[in-house]
């Protein structure tokens, strides 16, 4: 075989391998992006189930007025929760800075820890207030159903329960 023909074949082979590698790398980046940056399909083709409000509406047979009240209650809670969470995060950042400062002020660290715990307490009280207000919206029969749904909903939305949830939902609704 002529050396020039051999060199030409090797160059073509290298170009082909580079092309295949680029396609492979592109595919893996695309796959990684797609798996981590799209909205998970919690409930296939059932948009009403995207959050707890949709589940409550269906499972508790809420009226439209009740559903709107609960949605309003949840929106208010999330706004307050967001402010408190930001405050807690800032206080934790300040505490970390104080703890790892060369000259640690122990009193400041303890004061920040108390502020964090007070705000965590406020967060739990917000949750309790939301539950109390939710009870005023629901009928006694709905509250009885809701009592059984609480743990199920909590487990349902756990991140480690995602695949099981899809399988259970699909098998329960394909019958």
């Amino acid at each position: 075989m002529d050396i020039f023909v051999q060199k030409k074949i090797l160059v073509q082979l290298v170009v082909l391998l580079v092309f295949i590698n680029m396609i492979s790398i592109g595919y893996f980046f695309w796959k990684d992006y797609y798996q981590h940056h799209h909205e998970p399909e919690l409930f296939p083709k059932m948009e009403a189930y995207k959050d707890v409000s949709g589940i409550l509406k269906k499972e508790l047979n809420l009226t439209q007025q009740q559903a709107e009240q609960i949605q309003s209650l949840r929106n208010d809670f999330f706004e307050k929760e967001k402010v408190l969470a930001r405050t807690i995060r800032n206080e934790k950042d300040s505490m970390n800075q104080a703890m790892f400062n060369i000259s640690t002020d122990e009193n400041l660290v303890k004061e920040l820890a108390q502020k964090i715990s007070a705000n965590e307490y406020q967060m739990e009280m917000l949750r309790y207030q939301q539950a109390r207000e939710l009870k005023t919206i629901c009928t006694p029969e709905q509250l009885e159903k809701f009592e059984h749904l609480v743990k199920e909903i909590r487990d349902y939305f756990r991140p480690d329960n995602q695949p099981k949830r899809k399988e259970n939902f699909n098998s329960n609704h394909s019958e």
Side-chain angles (χ1 to χ4, degrees), residues 27-141:
Y27 170 76
F28 288 117
F29 277 119
W30 174 79
K31 184 178 175 187
D32 184 55
Y33 177 82
Y34 179 74
Q35 287 179 345
H36 293 100
H37 292 91
H38 76 288
E39 185 177 347
E41 187 178 347
L42 299 179
F43 301 94
K45 299 182 183 175
M46 299 195 88
E47 296 298 316
Y49 278 109
K50 277 189 138 177
D51 72 331
V52 175
S53 299
I55 293 172
L56 292 178
K57 184 175 182 176
K58 174 139 176 61
E59 296 297 323
L60 299 179
N61 297 319
L62 297 175
T63 65
Q64 187 61 33
Q65 181 183 7
Q66 286 176 313
E68 289 170 5
Q69 288 176 315
I70 288 175
Q71 189 60 47
S72 174
L73 176 66
R74 289 179 51 77
N75 289 341
D76 183 49
F77 168 77
F78 287 132
E79 287 301 314
K80 291 176 182 175
E81 181 186 45
K82 193 185 324 179
V83 170
L84 261 177
R86 189 178 312 119
T87 302
I88 292 168
R89 188 173 44 253
N90 291 339
E91 289 171 344
K92 285 183 177 184
D93 290 344
S94 297
M95 185 173 160
N96 282 332
Q97 278 185 324
M99 284 189 305
F100 295 106
N101 195 343
I102 292 174
S103 56
T104 301
D105 182 352
E106 196 168 319
N107 290 330
L108 177 62
V109 171
K110 288 179 181 179
E111 182 182 319
L112 288 168
Q114 286 177 338
K115 284 182 180 180
I116 292 168
S117 65
N119 283 319
E120 292 283 356
Y121 174 77
Q122 286 298 325
M123 185 78 76
E124 295 306 317
M125 293 310 295
L126 272 177
R127 289 186 179 108
Y128 176 60
Q129 179 66 29
Q130 180 187 28
R132 282 189 4 206
E133 290 179 28
L134 186 112
K135 286 180 179 182
T136 64
I137 295 170
C138 295
T139 65
E141 296 82 23

